[in-house]
Amino acid sequence: MSDKIQFPKGFYWGAATSAHQVEGNNHNDWSEWEKENAERLAREAKNKWQKWQQEKFPEMFEPENYISDRACDHYNRYEEDFDIAKSLGHNAHRFSIEWSRIEPEEGKFNEDEIEHYRKVIKALRERGIEPFVTLWHWTIPLWVRDKGGVANKYFSEYFSRYAERMAQKLADIKFWITLNEPTAVIAMAYTKGDWPPQKRNPITALKVYKTLAQAHNEAYKKIHAVSPEARVGFVNILSYIEPHNKNSLFDKLTARIAKYFSNEKFLNLTNNNNDFLAIDYYFHNRLKFPGKLKNEKKEVSDMGWELYPEGIFHVLSDLKKYKKPIYITENGLADAEDARREWFIKESLRNVFRAISEGVDVRGYLYWSLLDNFEWDKGFWPRFGLVEIDYSAKGESASGGKMMERKIRPSAYEYAKICKNNGLD
């Protein structure tokens, strides 16, 4: 007889999305960058991805794969998508507001777009789904880009003004997330130089740590000034980092430095301006001096990322010392055939429960993602969704099929059982 795993009463279950990845027809720094880089990204795919990935996802060689365009048309179909979420037992949903829609010109706020997001929130509440609202999921208005983006010393002023306006206009929000994965942007845009604005500079990277932390801190204060009862935090992407050889001083030092910059530095800079801790977990890094990855990769996703559900237990355990409520705001995998998703979700949740059993105050789990979506510089081929999107029908009509038809994957139904039962065997 197997033991039943029962999660705490009132636990939040659901999934997450972000505006640029699902809405479609956005006009921001990313939408401009996509058009300028689509052909290059398609060309470089043959050197970036392994043979099995190239054969499985030939669309990676097509420039249109890298242009978000209509994405999933969630901007128009959010009610349909939330009906699906409700049917799957979700009682929480994380989404992001697209800043470039709200403030397309500096200081000029678009009331029609604010009303749109008010309707999105109303649609969630009507279905008994608690909104977790993200204010910045990487994209910025073109006027912010033209002023230097997140590296501009006045970025925190621009962002906190926008955050304050949203708090005023959407006054009944319980959970506000200021920034999504700031260290991911620092790493990919300013350390590796792969993402816009592609400025590879370690000095700028360190500067952006402080700029984004200041943006969070100021937004935290302004949201609370408007809505004292609101809960405010930022999303930290946390990797489980360990030394390859636990007896090697050099390997241990390498892992310690990586853990500081990846997991700890930004949280330290936010000066306890967090009512909760929100974490995204995807990566396990077993490091050998001076920084070589030595993962076993027994199971991998379609993107070649190692699937290591046990890591979420270690990440959560590290956060126990902060004595704050924790919400897992993203955890998922690219799996077009839906072959590993059920296993991955269940193993991840067993490790989440293990952390709870050891006193970690975890209060919610949001899978990434509700829908297949536009995965940034990878484009459309990685399939993270509980719900499959038929992109072959993105045009006016495709062989009589429904445009961008939604199809619930088998793993989503298995996750639904967990959501509805607040537990699993």
Side-chain angles (χ1 to χ4, degrees):
M1 190 173 87
S2 64
D3 291 327
K4 175 83 172 174
I5 291 174
Q6 199 68 43
F7 282 80
K9 188 177 179 182
F11 200 81
Y12 285 115
W13 297 102
T17 59
S18 93
H20 189 70
Q21 294 179 264
V22 297
E23 283 183 347
N25 298 319
N26 278 310
H27 189 50
N28 54 40
D29 63 324
W30 265 94
S31 65
E32 294 288 289
W33 184 86
E34 292 158 18
K35 292 166 190 168
E36 294 166 5
N37 289 273
E39 290 189 10
R40 174 183 63 82
L41 293 168
R43 232 177 13 250
E44 292 175 355
K46 64 180 182 296
N47 299 319
K48 186 170 184 177
W49 304 103
Q50 296 179 43
K51 195 72 177 171
W52 66 268
Q53 292 166 310
Q54 294 177 23
E55 291 171 357
K56 191 172 181 179
F57 303 103
E59 59 266 42
M60 67 172 63
F61 298 110
E62 300 167 4
E64 55 265 35
N65 172 72
Y66 301 95
I67 297 175
S68 56
D69 192 36
R70 290 178 60 200
C72 310
D73 196 28
H74 178 72
Y75 185 87
N76 295 307
R77 298 173 68 162
Y78 63 88
E79 291 195 76
E80 175 187 353
D81 295 334
F82 296 160
D83 282 341
I84 292 171
K86 182 184 178 183
S87 76
L88 294 173
H90 297 189
N91 63 8
H93 180 75
R94 179 186 168 205
F95 73 96
S96 73
I97 292 173
E98 177 56 41
W99 185 2
S100 67
R101 291 185 187 274
I102 301 296
E103 193 180 5
E105 297 178 56
E106 183 174 0
K108 294 183 180 178
F109 293 90
N110 187 321
E111 293 297 329
D112 290 341
E113 293 294 357
I114 292 170
E115 180 60 27
H116 168 80
Y117 288 108
R118 194 177 282 117
K119 289 176 181 174
V120 168
I121 291 160
K122 182 171 181 277
L124 286 168
R125 292 207 186 284
E126 286 174 348
R127 291 160 178 79
I129 300 173
E130 184 69 43
F132 282 66
V133 184
T134 306
L135 289 166
W136 177 75
H137 202 119
W138 300 348
T139 57
I140 54 177
L142 294 179
W143 65 266
V144 178
R145 179 201 65 181
D146 294 342
K147 288 175 178 283
V150 297
N152 184 312
K153 64 180 179 180
Y154 297 112
F155 178 81
S156 61
E157 184 181 310
Y158 308 143
F159 178 73
S160 60
R161 179 181 62 197
Y162 152 65
E164 180 180 43
R165 180 61 65 99
M166 289 300 93
Q168 290 167 344
K169 294 290 186 177
L170 307 173
D172 63 338
I173 296 300
K174 183 177 179 180
F175 295 103
W176 287 105
I177 292 166
T178 56
L179 309 176
N180 177 72
E181 298 182 7
T183 54
V185 171
I186 292 164
M188 297 302 292
Y190 296 97
T191 306
K192 292 184 178 179
D194 290 346
W195 289 359
Q198 292 183 281
K199 293 185 177 177
R200 188 175 178 178
N201 186 315
I203 295 171
T204 305
L206 290 171
K207 179 183 173 184
V208 173
Y209 268 108
K210 292 183 179 179
T211 305
L212 287 175
Q214 186 180 358
H216 166 77
N217 291 336
E218 291 184 18
Y220 176 90
K221 291 168 186 170
K222 287 193 174 182
I223 293 169
H224 272 296
V226 173
S227 185
E229 298 303 311
R231 305 289 85 192
V232 186
F234 77 95
V235 167
N236 216 2
I237 182 168
L238 300 181
S239 303
Y240 173 44
I241 299 169
E242 61 175 338
H244 173 244
N245 180 352
K246 290 181 170 59
N247 296 316
S248 164
L249 181 63
F250 289 108
D251 286 8
K252 287 197 287 186
L253 182 61
T254 300
R256 187 70 197 88
I257 292 169
K259 188 175 179 181
Y260 172 73
F261 282 102
S262 175
N263 292 9
E264 298 169 2
K265 180 177 173 67
F266 199 89
L267 186 56
N268 294 343
L269 288 169
T270 58
N271 301 321
N272 206 35
N273 288 323
N274 297 288
D275 302 318
F276 59 87
L277 302 179
I279 72 156
D280 294 353
Y281 171 74
Y282 294 99
F283 302 111
H284 168 224
N285 298 329
R286 186 175 280 133
L287 296 176
K288 182 176 177 63
F289 178 82
K292 188 174 178 62
L293 270 178
K294 299 290 284 185
N295 291 21
E296 293 178 4
K297 290 196 170 186
K298 292 177 181 176
E299 293 277 351
V300 297
S301 72
D302 287 344
M303 293 179 75
W305 295 357
E306 182 185 45
L307 302 177
Y308 196 78
E310 183 187 331
I312 201 167
F313 164 77
H314 298 290
V315 162
L316 291 169
S317 297
D318 279 349
L319 298 176
K320 184 179 178 181
K321 61 179 179 275
Y322 294 102
K323 297 180 179 177
K324 290 184 183 289
I326 298 168
Y327 300 92
I328 297 153
T329 44
E330 288 184 32
N331 177 233
L333 74 162
D335 180 17
E337 293 175 354
D338 205 37
R340 298 178 180 86
R341 191 171 283 106
E342 178 187 345
W343 165 82
F344 180 82
I345 291 173
K346 289 181 176 178
E347 283 305 304
S348 296
L349 288 172
R350 288 186 181 105
N351 279 285
V352 171
F353 184 78
R354 181 182 163 200
I356 292 171
S357 302
E358 296 189 11
V360 184
D361 187 10
V362 185
R363 300 188 185 183
Y365 177 89
L366 305 178
Y367 175 83
W368 181 270
S369 174
L370 177 63
L371 310 168
D372 283 343
N373 55 53
F374 179 76
E375 284 295 329
W376 307 103
D377 63 331
K378 317 300 186 295
F380 287 104
W381 68 261
R383 301 296 191 119
F384 279 84
L386 294 170
V387 179
E388 179 183 354
I389 303 293
D390 179 7
Y391 293 120
S392 68
K394 280 207 295 184
E396 290 303 310
S397 64
S399 63
K402 294 180 184 176
M403 290 203 305
M404 283 195 244
E405 185 177 5
R406 275 74 167 138
K407 182 180 178 183
I408 300 172
R409 289 192 164 102
S411 60
Y413 289 113
E414 292 302 315
Y415 179 46
K417 292 176 188 175
I418 296 168
C419 299
K420 291 171 183 176
N421 294 325
N422 199 37
L424 71 157
D425 292 326

